Amino acid sequence: CSVPSDLASKHSVSMDTLWGAWDASVGTETDDGTASSSREALRGVAREMADAASFHLHRARDGQSAVPKEGRPCLLPAVCGLHYLDSLRGVDYDVLHPSLGGGGDNASGPERRRRLGLMFLLGRTWLTGTF
């Protein structure tokens, strides 16, 4: 993973913080609560990074009419990015939340709905040429 150094220092996030957040996500937290505080610090970083990404993706969405129709398929990955950012917002920017992990072939009902929703968005974008 890559965290910009200015955000890492602002939220006091280090590799130890990432491991502490991981411990909190798998339930091996120690009694001192450091894993929970690590997870909260990671959420702060994720929130700021997601806000910046969302800003840029929405700017791209606003300017997509200037892109020639032949070039619009290059914008399809933005649909996935926006969908992921919405999912991330739905779990309060917890990047280690199980619902963001995929699940493979054993995906649960909510995960399957998320995948189908993404496929629908991609199909609509492909057909209409707008995201």
Side-chain angles (χ1 to χ4, degrees):
C1 80
S2 179
V3 176
S5 60
D6 60 330
L7 290 179
S9 63
K10 178 180 176 182
H11 292 277
S12 301
V13 171
S14 65
M15 285 306 293
D16 290 336
T17 308
L18 296 175
W19 284 115
W22 175 259
D23 287 344
S25 72
V26 296
T28 58
E29 183 175 356
T30 59
D31 292 332
D32 62 0
T34 57
S36 291
S37 64
S38 295
R39 198 165 184 171
E40 287 305 313
L42 190 56
R43 278 185 180 177
V45 169
R47 181 177 289 112
E48 286 198 45
M49 291 175 66
D51 288 345
S54 182
F55 171 77
H56 290 294
L57 287 172
H58 282 93
R59 275 189 60 195
R61 177 189 276 176
D62 293 342
Q64 70 182 327
S65 61
V67 176
K69 188 172 185 174
E70 298 81 23
R72 288 196 184 162
C74 294
L75 299 174
L76 283 175
V79 175
C80 298
L82 287 168
H83 186 69
Y84 180 78
L85 291 173
D86 286 342
S87 298
L88 189 59
R89 188 178 310 112
V91 295
D92 193 30
Y93 301 97
D94 182 6
V95 295
L96 298 173
H97 194 276
S99 69
L100 299 175
D105 293 333
N106 300 325
S108 63
E111 174 60 23
R112 288 178 192 230
R113 281 192 294 278
R114 188 176 70 82
R115 287 183 190 175
L116 286 173
L118 179 57
M119 290 173 62
F120 169 75
L121 289 172
L122 285 169
R124 183 184 72 187
T125 301
W126 181 263
L127 291 173
T128 63
T130 58
F131 70 97

